[in-house]
Amino acid sequence: MSPSSSPWSLSLVFLLGVASQGISCPSRCSCQYLEVNCTGQQLQEFPVDIPLDTRQLILAANNVSYLPAVELSFLADLVYLDCRKNLLGDDLDFTFIGVARLVYLDLSFNNLTQVTFSTFSHLLSLVVLKISDNPNLVAIEKDAFANNTWLRHLDVSRTGLTFLDTSTVRDLPNLRLLGLRDNLWHCNCSFLDFITWMMESDVHFPDADNITCYTPAELRALRMPAAEAQLHFSCLTQLHKQDYVFLGLVGFCIFLAGTMAAWLAGVCAVIYEAHTSKGEEEEEEEEEEDTSWGQIAPGRAPAPPAGGAVRGRPRPRPGSPLSPAPSRCAPAAPRRVRVSAGRGARGCARGRLVLMENAVDTSQPGEAAGEGGSRASRLGRARPAFVALLARRAEFTSANPVRIHAWGCARSLNALC
């Protein structure tokens, strides 16, 4: 070999050594192109020396109880991981943080006890997830698969699950197959929503005849369609304690609202009635005030005192302004005459006096025969009687004394006649 070819020989030897190290395979495992298969090798721990470019890793039928997150994170290109029939427990949170490209994951036939949000939250590309045949798996959190939006195949058959929240699987937009058979489903009113979703969903349920209720005893071994009918009848027509409390609160609120409305309506009615009655009373008082001044019963007027004077007032002379006019007042049937005083007397100015003309009987002995006497003689006797009545009225209303200007009122009477 020439000296010029020696560098190329050394480079080739170095590359072959690196290649031999890159294709190293774990003991008791078989390695092919991008695949490592360690099935049934009774491995107690996760194998070491796995090629970094491995795309498919099969660890089925071993005794592995722990998956180290650091070693898995070196397998950044891993898309297929089969760990069925091992002893993996409940410490899987954040285990798959470094294998974000994982598409297929099989954890069936292990000892899983629960699935939380942190268990598979970093597997954003996961399409197939099998966690069946974990008899100790009793709980799956509501948002356990919230980040696994590409999940199409989910198998939770033959586990210890008794309940599964509807939103856990309903919010998976690409879910096409869901395995639920041979679980210990507790078919109560809380599980009714999930059963209803099963009946209305387009998701395929393999071996649906074996999806049955385990409890309560009256629904044991009953398939989901029949259980749905039973639960609809028992749950939707039955009221629980909180339902009665709610109905009681609603009834109390309605009663309180009705009472307040009736009270407000009564207050408004009382105010309106008081306002209208007050107006009516004012009108009645005005009418009574108009008719109460000087109400005189029919009869004979009292005779004037001797001398023709009333309380020191001189009798009007003939021909004075208070003398009767030539016209005559007909002594007909009783008729009310309203007398309004001017500015003279205070009593005549405030009130209205209603008189009965027949209060004075003009038929006196000694008068001329014929028409019953002249108008002057009748008014002459009427004026003293009228003045006397006014005086009696003033004495009666002592609380509001009235000063009577006899001649002014008589002038008003003379004018009306």
Side-chain angles (χ1 to χ4, degrees):
M1 182 177 294
S2 62
S4 60
S5 60
S6 59
W8 292 103
S9 300
L10 294 175
S11 299
L12 181 59
V13 172
F14 178 75
L15 291 175
L16 289 175
V18 173
S20 63
Q21 291 180 1
I23 61 174
S24 63
C25 186
S27 61
R28 294 186 292 178
C29 296
S30 62
C31 299
Q32 296 180 1
Y33 178 70
L34 303 179
E35 178 184 336
V36 176
N37 190 346
C38 303
T39 304
Q41 299 300 318
Q42 302 298 317
L43 299 177
Q44 302 293 326
E45 296 180 354
F46 187 80
V48 295
D49 299 330
I50 299 176
L52 300 181
D53 58 350
T54 302
R55 297 290 183 88
Q56 184 174 347
L57 178 60
I58 303 174
L59 299 175
N62 286 285
N63 297 321
V64 178
S65 60
Y66 174 71
L67 292 177
V70 176
E71 281 79 355
L72 278 176
S73 65
F74 294 151
L75 308 176
D77 295 330
L78 190 65
V79 295
Y80 185 100
L81 179 58
D82 185 357
C83 295
R84 68 182 186 275
K85 296 183 179 180
N86 277 278
L87 303 176
L88 297 175
D90 57 351
D91 52 351
L92 294 179
D93 289 353
F94 304 102
T95 298
F96 307 102
I97 192 172
V99 287
R101 296 183 181 181
L102 200 63
V103 174
Y104 180 97
L105 178 60
D106 190 348
L107 297 175
S108 57
F109 295 96
N110 279 278
N111 293 326
L112 302 182
T113 58
Q114 63 177 354
V115 176
T116 66
F117 174 77
S118 303
T119 305
F120 306 118
S121 60
H122 298 90
L123 302 179
L124 305 180
S125 301
L126 192 62
V127 175
V128 178
L129 176 61
K130 296 181 179 180
I131 52 177
S132 62
D133 296 284
N134 282 276
N136 297 323
L137 180 60
V138 295
I140 296 179
E141 288 186 0
K142 181 179 180 180
D143 56 348
F145 310 120
N147 291 348
N148 310 121
T149 55
W150 289 101
L151 194 61
R152 295 175 62 88
H153 183 148
L154 176 62
D155 190 2
V156 292
S157 302
R158 295 176 297 277
T159 65
L161 291 175
T162 60
F163 175 79
L164 187 63
D165 194 275
T166 307
S167 61
T168 304
V169 291
R170 183 184 58 195
D171 296 338
L172 297 175
N174 297 298
L175 187 63
R176 296 293 179 269
L177 187 145
L178 178 60
L180 299 172
R181 59 169 296 182
D182 296 331
N183 283 308
L184 307 177
W185 300 119
H186 180 59
C187 298
N188 57 0
C189 295
S190 300
F191 198 61
L192 178 60
D193 290 339
F194 184 82
I195 300 176
T196 304
W197 174 82
M198 289 179 57
M199 299 298 104
E200 299 175 354
S201 176
D202 295 332
V203 177
H204 174 62
F205 300 93
D207 200 5
D209 292 339
N210 289 324
I211 305 177
T212 59
C213 297
Y214 185 76
T215 54
E218 58 270 16
L219 298 180
R220 177 169 295 183
L222 198 64
R223 292 187 297 177
M224 292 302 169
E228 182 190 18
Q230 292 286 341
L231 291 175
H232 268 292
F233 177 78
S234 61
C235 296
L236 300 183
T237 59
Q238 181 181 0
L239 296 178
H240 299 281
K241 182 179 180 180
Q242 59 269 24
D243 299 326
Y244 287 109
V245 172
F246 175 76
L247 292 176
L249 291 176
V250 171
F252 176 75
C253 293
I254 294 175
F255 170 75
L256 185 62
T259 303
M260 293 298 296
W263 181 78
L264 291 176
V267 170
C268 294
V270 169
I271 294 175
Y272 176 78
E273 182 68 20
H275 179 73
T276 55
S277 62
K278 184 178 180 181
E280 294 177 356
E281 290 177 358
E282 290 179 354
E283 293 178 358
E284 292 178 357
E285 288 178 359
E286 290 179 359
E287 293 178 357
E288 291 178 358
E289 184 179 356
D290 292 342
T291 58
S292 63
W293 287 87
Q295 193 84 16
I296 304 176
R300 185 178 182 86
V310 178
R311 296 192 181 183
R313 298 281 185 176
R315 187 172 181 177
R317 299 178 181 178
S320 64
L322 296 179
S323 297
S327 62
R328 48 186 306 189
C329 296
R335 180 170 62 88
R336 293 187 177 185
V337 180
R338 293 183 180 273
V339 178
S340 300
R343 296 182 179 180
R346 181 181 179 185
C348 294
R350 287 189 176 183
R352 302 171 188 174
L353 182 61
V354 179
L355 297 178
M356 306 296 293
E357 274 196 6
N358 63 343
V360 181
D361 188 3
T362 58
S363 60
Q364 297 289 342
E367 286 187 341
E371 295 182 357
S374 64
R375 175 177 176 273
S377 62
R378 290 196 302 272
L379 289 178
R381 288 189 300 273
R383 285 194 195 98
F386 170 64
V387 172
L389 290 174
L390 288 178
R392 293 175 60 187
R393 178 65 179 174
E395 293 174 357
F396 179 75
T397 57
S398 58
N400 188 15
V402 180
R403 297 182 179 278
I404 304 172
H405 198 292
W407 306 116
C409 293
R411 171 180 284 182
S412 300
L413 178 63
N414 187 25
L416 289 174
C417 292

